[in-house]
Amino acid sequence: MFCHLRPVRRLCLKKVFPHRFLYSRSLSGAEAVNALRPFYFAVHPDFFGQHPREREVNENSLKRLSVYLESLQKPGFKSLKPTQLTFYVRETDQNSSDGQEPFSTSGFRAVKFTLHTRDLLSTVLDILNSCSLSTEHIQSLNTHVHSQPLKEAKRMPDRPIKWHKSYYSFTGFRDPDEDLEQVSRMETTLVSWLDNNEKSAIKKLKNSLPLRKELDRLKDELSHQLQLSDIRWQRSWGIAHRCSQLHSLGRLAQQNLETLKTAKGCTLIFTDRSGMSAVGHVMLGTMDVHHHWTKLFERLPSYYDLQRRLMLLEDQISYLLGGIQVVYIEELQPVLTLEEYYSLLDVFYNRQLKNRIPFHPRSLRGLQMILNSDRYAPSLHELGHFNIPILCDPASLQWFILTKAQQARENMKRREELKVIENELIQASTKKFSLEKLYKEPSVSSIQMVDCCKRLLEQSLPYLHGMHLCVSHFYSVMQDGDLCIPWNWKNGEAN
């Protein structure tokens, strides 16, 4: 028996554990970041500007990945709990859809994987392999890589070798199938996660309280001084970052108050670029300097004129299409500037006017539609509005809207009913658990929020007293102490 197993052992080491031969030392933090460049390029949120939901998922997953990588580098680190991540991966020259979900018509696909690693090198390799990205560039980071083993590894078959259970029992090597089963059995539950993270969240929340008060004070003072309707943030920046942005705006207001007052009555949003949004909000790019902000405020009167022309264009489209209302839904549509949205409406209007197909006047009043530049066929959203491509064939558009009109009205009615139920459940949950705040991420639907709150109300969760709770798609303790839980959290104790 021993004679039989020895050659098997020599054979399998390079095939089952090829990375141990290809990469003989661990990576530093800087090397890990460098090795993950193809991954960051494929998932970076800035490339998903036309897809807000996917962008948000990638932003949140990158935050969790960053925490995971930082934890691996901490002195005295022992082990981490399995971390499940979801990314939308863009199609690049390096990746393909072999063995993965196919790329959508938008050029990306969803990839889900679980990290359960003990070092940076294996983590980097797991990430790249999960996203079907090449790992060949990692050899240049390791001075101990030998060319011969690499050539042998390239000749390895893609199909993994499956060894008999007795092999792992005899050699002492860990069975990868058994590890995967263990990860699945260790699926996080709400109670176990809150129990493990309560102290950390409370500490971060207490540390953030002075800054939270400062943020509220700055926001109220600037809103009153500039007579703004509201001040918001497009991204989930930390409290300290938000305070810094408001301090910067405050300094500009001291230098040029009259110019900034042109934003009277507007909602101001800190975001990635400066301009006016499709719905008329003043956008301040956080990477821009005061000079760019000042120029934007000086141009606001011309933006107001364009906004009036845009509203007139929406009314003209509505008239052509039987009274249906053209709307822009921030949570569901790409982040567009006023100029970009006007251009979109103009193309659609001229196309419909040129190939006009009559609708009965006001026959579609009460219905809503949004315009999309990346769709090929019209569709009806579960919330009741129509998704219409700007290049949609007028005849096809008429047939689709007329045949789906009744269903659209029913969906809109359910949406309003659901919104009432959602607000009632949020209030009930906030009261029962004495939460300081309960909110959800934009990518969480009302249906998902209702389901989450209903199940929360059936629990006894003393951990939540005085906390800020965000319903999301993952578990996380944010830097300022907010607790993020997935809307479809699991019940019961962890196995």
Side-chain angles (χ1 to χ4, degrees):
M1 176 179 178
F2 281 63
C3 292
H4 172 71
L5 282 171
R6 279 175 184 149
V8 174
R9 184 175 182 179
R10 286 197 298 271
L11 171 67
C12 73
L13 284 175
K14 289 186 181 181
K15 294 191 175 183
V16 180
F17 306 99
H19 298 313
R20 294 193 179 183
F21 288 85
L22 295 177
Y23 316 106
S24 57
R25 68 176 177 84
S26 60
L27 296 181
S28 67
E31 287 174 332
V33 171
N34 191 36
L36 286 173
R37 280 184 178 179
F39 164 73
Y40 290 133
F41 182 72
V43 304
H44 199 284
D46 286 350
F47 290 109
F48 291 80
Q50 298 294 310
H51 307 280
R53 180 185 179 280
E54 288 77 9
R55 173 179 179 141
E56 183 182 356
V57 169
N58 281 10
E59 282 183 343
N60 291 328
S61 293
L62 283 172
K63 290 177 185 176
R64 299 178 64 212
L65 175 59
S66 177
V67 171
Y68 189 94
L69 294 174
E70 288 175 4
S71 299
L72 287 176
Q73 301 174 68
K74 288 181 179 178
F77 157 77
K78 293 183 179 180
S79 63
L80 287 175
K81 292 183 179 180
T83 299
Q84 294 180 335
L85 297 173
T86 298
F87 285 100
Y88 286 93
V89 181
R90 294 188 307 118
E91 184 173 11
T92 65
D93 293 337
Q94 281 203 18
N95 57 24
S96 67
S97 58
D98 295 343
Q100 299 277 357
E101 291 295 322
F103 287 100
S104 68
T105 55
S106 300
F108 56 79
R109 57 176 162 78
V111 174
K112 297 182 180 181
F113 55 89
T114 299
L115 292 178
H116 193 200
T117 49
R118 297 181 60 83
D119 59 82
L120 285 175
L121 177 57
S122 57
T123 303
V124 168
L125 292 171
D126 275 4
I127 293 170
L128 294 174
N129 287 325
S130 297
C131 297
S132 300
L133 294 167
S134 172
T135 59
E136 292 184 5
H137 63 288
I138 299 181
Q139 63 170 311
S140 64
L141 302 175
N142 196 314
T143 57
H144 293 85
V145 176
H146 301 291
S147 59
Q148 186 62 30
L150 179 59
K151 292 178 181 177
E152 292 179 6
K154 286 183 178 179
R155 292 198 301 267
M156 286 173 52
D158 293 333
R159 181 176 59 84
I161 297 175
K162 191 171 181 66
W163 298 94
H164 192 271
K165 296 287 184 182
S166 60
Y167 165 74
Y168 297 105
S169 300
F170 174 74
T171 61
F173 291 124
R174 299 188 65 170
D175 183 349
D177 290 337
E178 194 173 292
D179 282 350
L180 287 175
E181 291 175 8
Q182 183 180 2
V183 169
S184 64
R185 289 196 300 268
M186 293 174 64
E187 188 174 21
T188 305
T189 65
L190 178 62
V191 172
S192 66
W193 186 83
L194 289 174
D195 188 49
N196 291 332
N197 292 276
E198 178 190 17
K199 291 183 179 178
S200 170
I202 291 176
K203 181 179 179 180
K204 289 181 177 180
L205 181 61
K206 285 184 177 179
N207 291 339
S208 73
L209 289 179
L211 275 178
R212 289 180 186 271
K213 291 181 179 178
E214 174 73 358
L215 180 67
D216 290 340
R217 182 188 67 80
L218 289 170
K219 184 177 176 181
D220 289 342
E221 285 183 1
L222 283 169
S223 295
H224 176 73
Q225 185 180 22
L226 304 180
Q227 301 180 56
L228 299 172
S229 175
D230 194 10
I231 299 178
R232 303 179 192 169
W233 286 263
Q234 186 187 42
R235 293 196 186 187
S236 52
W237 283 299
I239 303 297
H241 196 167
R242 297 186 182 198
C243 284
S244 175
Q245 291 162 351
L246 290 182
H247 277 299
S248 182
L249 180 63
R251 289 193 295 272
L252 182 60
Q254 291 176 353
Q255 300 166 8
N256 209 341
L257 181 60
E258 291 306 312
T259 300
L260 267 62
K261 280 188 175 181
T262 55
K264 177 181 178 181
C266 291
T267 292
L268 189 149
I269 298 182
F270 288 97
T271 182
D272 296 326
R273 53 177 174 168
S274 296
M276 180 169 277
S277 74
V279 292
H281 298 330
V282 178
M283 304 189 301
L284 294 184
T286 56
M287 300 300 291
D288 292 338
V289 295
H290 280 180
H291 171 72
H292 295 122
W293 286 4
T294 302
K295 290 294 183 183
L296 169 63
F297 283 106
E298 290 174 350
R299 291 199 306 268
L300 284 184
S302 64
Y303 275 119
Y304 296 146
D305 180 60
L306 180 59
Q307 191 176 23
R308 285 189 289 269
R309 289 160 50 200
L310 184 145
M311 294 170 66
L312 177 60
L313 194 53
E314 287 178 332
D315 290 341
Q316 290 172 326
I317 293 173
S318 177
Y319 177 77
L320 288 178
L321 301 182
I324 190 170
Q325 183 185 10
V326 183
V327 296
Y328 179 91
I329 305 176
E330 291 181 90
E331 295 83 4
L332 300 177
Q333 291 185 258
V335 179
L336 298 176
T337 63
L338 195 67
E339 300 98 322
E340 291 169 341
Y341 189 48
Y342 183 89
S343 177
L344 206 69
L345 291 171
D346 190 53
V347 170
F348 181 77
Y349 173 71
N350 288 320
R351 184 178 177 84
Q352 296 303 314
L353 190 64
K354 182 179 178 181
N355 305 281
R356 184 171 181 179
I357 294 180
F359 283 84
H360 190 280
R362 297 183 293 280
S363 61
L364 300 178
R365 289 186 67 179
L367 297 181
Q368 295 179 337
M369 61 170 276
I370 65 174
L371 285 176
N372 280 290
S373 58
D374 59 350
R375 286 180 175 269
Y376 302 98
S379 63
L380 177 62
H381 195 275
E382 62 179 5
L383 296 179
H385 61 266
F386 289 95
N387 285 310
I388 307 299
I390 59 172
L391 299 179
C392 185
D393 174 65
S396 300
L397 175 63
Q398 182 192 43
W399 177 85
F400 185 82
I401 290 180
L402 292 179
T403 55
K404 298 289 185 179
Q406 184 55 39
Q407 184 182 344
R409 295 186 189 279
E410 293 171 0
N411 287 3
M412 291 184 70
K413 183 180 179 181
R414 284 199 301 270
R415 178 186 69 185
E416 296 305 316
E417 294 171 348
L418 195 63
K419 198 64 183 175
V420 172
I421 296 173
E422 179 185 12
N423 290 334
E424 290 175 350
L425 288 172
I426 289 175
Q427 292 177 11
S429 300
T430 302
K431 182 178 180 180
K432 175 177 179 177
F433 301 114
S434 300
L435 289 164
E436 185 67 25
K437 184 179 181 181
L438 173 58
Y439 61 104
K440 67 175 184 177
E441 291 188 341
S443 58
V444 176
S445 69
S446 292
I447 294 176
Q448 292 169 337
M449 188 65 172
V450 166
D451 176 74
C452 176
C453 290
K454 280 184 177 179
R455 294 188 298 118
L456 280 176
L457 288 169
E458 296 172 355
Q459 306 296 312
S460 175
L461 302 170
Y463 317 88
L464 299 181
H465 182 84
M467 301 302 292
H468 293 243
L469 183 64
C470 174
V471 177
S472 178
H473 297 276
F474 57 89
Y475 286 106
S476 179
V477 178
M478 305 304 283
Q479 59 182 320
D480 296 304
D482 290 41
L483 291 168
C484 286
I485 65 170
W487 68 270
N488 56 344
W489 52 269
K490 306 299 180 186
N491 197 4
E493 296 294 336
N495 293 330

